[in-house]
Amino acid sequence: MELRLDVRELEPPVPLERILETLEELPSDDWLKVRHSREPYPLYSLLREMGFDWSTKWQNSECIILIWHTGSPPPDDSGRRL
């Protein structure tokens, strides 16, 4: 199941904190779709350490990050598992 988090209007470091808090509770079969105003480079090494994979793309001036547990199939752009 896809969980959604919109952090576009938040000032640093709140977006990073919200993403990490949400991931702490993320069930193993679910994934997180984050809408961000910038690419959160510091997040990526933390995700790797925490056991998550991700994909990032820009869409309509927004950074869209899909985050899922390493070892689970990645979601596609429509919010389904590949």
Side-chain angles (χ1 to χ4, degrees):
M1 180 170 87
E2 179 178 277
L3 300 176
R4 297 179 183 160
L5 183 61
D6 187 345
V7 296
R8 292 174 295 163
E9 303 296 323
L10 302 175
E11 293 295 320
V14 177
L16 178 65
E17 292 169 348
R18 293 270 171 89
I19 293 167
L20 295 176
E21 288 169 2
T22 303
L23 291 174
E24 287 178 6
E25 305 290 325
L26 188 70
S28 60
D29 292 336
D30 294 350
W31 61 93
L32 180 62
K33 181 177 185 176
V34 179
R35 295 173 66 191
H36 207 309
S37 59
R38 62 183 64 107
E39 190 156 0
Y41 292 107
L43 174 65
Y44 300 144
S45 62
L46 295 172
L47 291 176
R48 192 173 296 113
E49 289 174 15
M50 293 172 65
F52 289 97
D53 288 325
W54 68 92
S55 68
T56 303
K57 70 176 184 175
W58 283 91
Q59 181 179 355
N60 300 326
S61 301
E62 292 179 6
C63 185
I64 307 295
I65 308 131
L66 295 176
I67 305 169
W68 63 94
H69 290 271
T70 299
S72 295
D76 65 13
D77 289 340
S78 65
R80 294 185 302 255
R81 289 280 187 200
L82 293 177

